[in-house]
Amino acid sequence: MREVHRDVIAVAGAKTLAWIDGTLYDVAAGWRSFPLDGSAGKARFSGYGEQFDAVTVSPGDDVVALVASTGTKGLLLAADGSRIREVNRSFYRASNYRYPLALCTLPDGRTGVVHCPDEYNRLEVEVVETGEGLTAGADRDPVDFFHSRLAVSPSGRYLLSAGWVWHPWDSLYVYDLAGALADPAALDSFGDVFDLRGLVQAEVAGACFLGDDVVVSTSEEENDPEGPDDLGPNMLVRWSPVTRTFTWRRQLDATPGDLVAMAGDILALYGHPRLYDAATGDLVAEWPDLSTGNAMSAIVRDAVTGPARVAVDDANRRFAVTDGERITVVHLG
């Protein structure tokens, strides 16, 4: 895969980029559009407020979640920009780490939201449109884990949380989301599908799904050189929930940081975008001139970093990056 061409749009302050039906928007700026044909874009509304700095789009493009990354407030919006409802998370340590929220397609076809509306360590699954709680009211006793960087696999089967525990320490747990709808207590564990404890020296820098497989990157910081070495510092690995084994592991010169799936491969976002082959973990392409920030943790000082700067359009094999002054859209072959 290679870059075919790019579009550069000079625009100050854009920070919540999302592709909806092939059109690029800055959602927080009132759904301001950015046509790639040279025509002038326009906003649908006056905007939602400066505090909103990250956006998530549902698999069906019917719901958009706008959140304050290191705040407590989120908005669930329909694709036409109308407000469905507000959501919140616990204020405890909220200013230190990224808002935990993911959108998914529920088994009955409705759009769901996974988030932590009451406690930092308690995951809940709700129907977006009605607020119906699908995991509420159960006898729950969640482990002490700050959930963050939530993602649901494209099939809707699995949920990952790349959050942290005290010291602080970034880790990763994967849950059977379909099973949790029948038994919500499964969400109270350190991952009933994948638990990194006992595998890793380094902290988890990022994670994403490729199909139902999980791709994990580790940070540059080494914990205990005498500890388990399945996952050392600066590694990129792919893990299968079917075989419960690593498909491949790659030792890199630097951390890949946050990860997002991109046209069947893996886009790593530490420093600048780098594209890795999903089948081998080999580096395919990189863009050193495009800054994506230096986060390698759920805990951030600058919330507008990594995935918060990037919007991926899988259907058209392109991604957009904002640095606050311009938007660059990279088209891939």
Side-chain angles (χ1 to χ4, degrees), residues 149-161:
R149 296 182 290 179
L150 302 182
V152 176
S153 63
S155 70
R157 174 69 186 275
Y158 299 111
L159 165 72
L160 71 77
S161 175

Side-chain angles (χ1 to χ4, degrees), residues 184-206:
L187 296 174
D188 296 339
S189 68
F190 284 115
D192 61 342
V193 175
F194 187 41
D195 177 354
L196 272 186
R197 293 176 302 170
L199 291 177
V200 63
Q201 293 176 15
E203 298 185 64
V204 172

Side-chain angles (χ1 to χ4, degrees), residues 16-130:
T16 53
L17 300 183
W19 295 96
I20 306 292
D21 292 331
T23 298
L24 183 64
Y25 295 95
D26 180 356
V27 178
W31 293 76
R32 180 182 178 183
S33 62
F34 300 105
L36 304 184
D37 61 4
S39 61
K42 59 182 180 180
R44 299 176 184 172
F45 312 104
S46 60
Y48 299 95
E50 288 295 320
Q51 72 269 36
F52 295 110
D53 54 17
V55 65
T56 300
V57 182
S58 67
D61 284 356
D62 61 324
V63 176
V64 173
L66 192 62
V67 303
S69 294
T70 51
T72 61
K73 182 64 69 178
L75 295 175
L76 299 179
L77 308 169
D80 63 2
S82 60
R83 188 179 69 176
I84 300 172
R85 60 188 176 97
E86 297 182 5
V87 293
N88 296 280
R89 67 157 163 167
S90 168
F91 68 89
Y92 183 57
R93 299 288 176 179
S95 62
N96 300 121
Y97 71 102
R98 289 183 262 189
Y99 198 118
L101 185 146
L103 298 172
C104 64
T105 301
L106 297 168
D108 62 7
R110 292 182 294 178
T111 297
V113 57
V114 186
H115 62 147
C116 298
D118 301 313
E119 301 291 340
Y120 67 91
N121 61 338
R122 176 164 168 154
L123 292 163
E124 300 285 6
V125 185
E126 299 172 352
V127 179
V128 165
E129 188 68 34
T130 64

